[in-house]
């Protein structure tokens, strides 16, 4: 997706997150993030937004730790979150296309990386806020969902820190029914190896619309349709969480 479009998604999703969080209230539990209340969700996502902003705005070319979680709550926390999200959108919008700063996943440019990563980070946590408010989270657009599945499978789980591993090798197919997009995921004792397309035979398949799979692979909802080896669902759910630390 184009960087400008990813920034527009980030803007929209952050606003929706804040609205859902306000409606739910800071004490509301977040069903999709066991152990969290809405205040934890806002503190975490607001911290990540500020952390990302600093790399682009200040041009840091090496890793820097985040600023920690604030002790704010209630209306002050909501205002703090909105200000940080707004600042991130402003910085990404104004940044030159050739801005240089640290990143941690492959991307055409640092600006493209941060726009993409923060758009998906915010969308997933928007769904968390909506789950706290009650009801089913609204789906992302299909093209954006495909982009997010790509980032998760090929980039985030392409890293050495991925825990999606198994002593017995398996091949998992992921199929987006509405876009016709497929991925072949080879699971072993090493980090997953992912190829675009239907490559060879598979032991099991996860299928659904791109939006359904997007949330399922981020463990925000059940896998819509499973065929073949159903144990791959548990393998994914128990090992695929992407944690901050």
């Amino acid at each position: 997706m184009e960087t400008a479009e990813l920034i527009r998604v980030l803007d929209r999703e952050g606003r929706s997150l804040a609205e859902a969080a306000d409606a739910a209230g800071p004490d509301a539990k977040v069903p999709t993030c066991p152990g969290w209340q809405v205040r934890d969700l806002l503190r975490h996502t607001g911290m990540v937004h500020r952390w990302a902003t600093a790399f682009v705005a200040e041009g840091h070319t090496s890793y820097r730790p985040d600023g920690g979680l604030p002790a704010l709550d209630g209306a002050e926390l909501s205002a703090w979150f909105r200000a940080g999200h707004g600042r991130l959108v402003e910085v990404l919008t104004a940044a030159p296309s050739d801005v240089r700063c640290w990143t941690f996943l492959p991307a055409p440019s640092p600006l493209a990386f941060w726009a993409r990563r923060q758009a998906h980070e915010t969308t997933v946590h928007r769904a968390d806020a909506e789950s706290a408010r009650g009801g089913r989270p609204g789906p992302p657009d299909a093209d954006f969902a495909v982009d997010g599945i790509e980032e998760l499978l090929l980039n985030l789980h392409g890293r050495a820190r991925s825990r999606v591993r198994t002593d017995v090798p398996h091949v998992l197919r992921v199929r987006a029914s509405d876009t016709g997009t497929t991925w072949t995921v080879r699971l072993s004792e090493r980090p997953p190896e992912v190829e675009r397309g239907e490559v060879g035979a598979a032991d099991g398949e996860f299928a659904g619309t791109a939006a359904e799979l997007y949330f399922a692979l981020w463990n925000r909802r059940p896998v819509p349709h499973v065929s073949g080896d159903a144990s791959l669902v548990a393998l994914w759910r128990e090992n695929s969480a992407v944690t901050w630390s």
Side-chain angles (χ1 to χ4, degrees), residues 51-114:
W51 178 74
T53 297
F55 286 107
V56 179
E58 301 170 18
H60 301 299
T61 56
S62 60
Y63 172 80
R64 291 170 64 91
D66 62 77
L69 301 177
L72 300 172
D73 206 351
E76 288 184 324
L77 176 59
S78 178
W80 175 86
F81 171 83
R82 290 173 185 271
H85 167 253
R87 173 63 176 156
L88 173 60
V89 171
E90 290 174 0
V91 165
L92 292 175
T93 300
S97 60
D98 60 351
V99 64
R100 296 185 60 210
C101 61
W102 179 81
T103 63
F104 60 89
L105 294 176
S109 69
L111 181 59
F113 164 79
W114 284 112

Side-chain angles (χ1 to χ4, degrees), residues 8 18 22 32 52 80 103 112 139 143 182 191 202 233 243:
R8 284 192 288 270
D22 286 347
T32 48
W80 175 86
T103 63
D143 288 345
T182 58
V233 175
T243 58

Side-chain angles (χ1 to χ4, degrees), residues 1 6 24 29 35 44 62 83 88 95 100 105 115-117 127 141 152 158 160-161 177 180 183 185 195 210 216 224:
M1 293 184 67
L6 289 167
K29 294 181 179 180
H44 167 78
S62 60
L88 173 60
R100 296 185 60 210
L105 294 176
R116 184 191 207 192
R117 179 81 290 279
D141 292 341
L152 181 64
R161 66 186 298 175
S177 57
W183 298 266
V185 185
E195 296 180 77

Side-chain angles (χ1 to χ4, degrees), residues 32 175 245:
T32 48
R175 185 184 306 276
S245 58

Side-chain angles (χ1 to χ4, degrees), residues 61-232:
T61 56
S62 60
Y63 172 80
R64 291 170 64 91
D66 62 77
L69 301 177
L72 300 172
D73 206 351
E76 288 184 324
L77 176 59
S78 178
W80 175 86
F81 171 83
R82 290 173 185 271
H85 167 253
R87 173 63 176 156
L88 173 60
V89 171
E90 290 174 0
V91 165
L92 292 175
T93 300
S97 60
D98 60 351
V99 64
R100 296 185 60 210
C101 61
W102 179 81
T103 63
F104 60 89
L105 294 176
S109 69
L111 181 59
F113 164 79
W114 284 112
R116 184 191 207 192
R117 179 81 290 279
Q118 291 308 299
H120 290 296
E121 174 87 8
T122 305
T123 299
V124 171
H125 288 316
R126 181 268 297 167
D128 293 330
E130 290 180 344
S131 76
R133 184 182 59 190
R136 194 183 189 94
D141 292 341
D143 288 345
F144 179 74
V146 167
D147 183 80
I149 294 169
E150 287 261 308
E151 186 204 40
L152 181 64
L153 294 181
L154 278 76
N155 292 352
L156 286 167
H157 283 298
R159 299 182 298 170
R161 66 186 298 175
S162 175
R163 296 183 298 108
V164 183
R165 304 178 187 223
T166 174
D167 294 337
V168 179
H170 293 285
V171 178
L172 168 65
R173 187 97 66 222
V174 177
R175 185 184 306 276
S177 57
D178 54 338
T179 64
T181 317
T182 58
W183 298 266
T184 300
V185 185
R186 301 186 186 280
L187 305 172
S188 67
E189 295 178 337
R190 298 173 54 81
E193 296 180 2
V194 182
E195 296 180 77
R196 299 179 181 90
E198 192 168 338
V199 184
D203 300 302
E205 180 173 296
F206 296 172
T209 67
E212 289 172 334
L213 290 171
Y214 179 86
F215 284 140
L217 292 170
W218 275 104
N219 296 320
R220 263 52 185 191
R221 60 172 296 168
V223 178
H225 304 286
V226 180
S227 58
D229 189 348
S231 71
L232 294 178

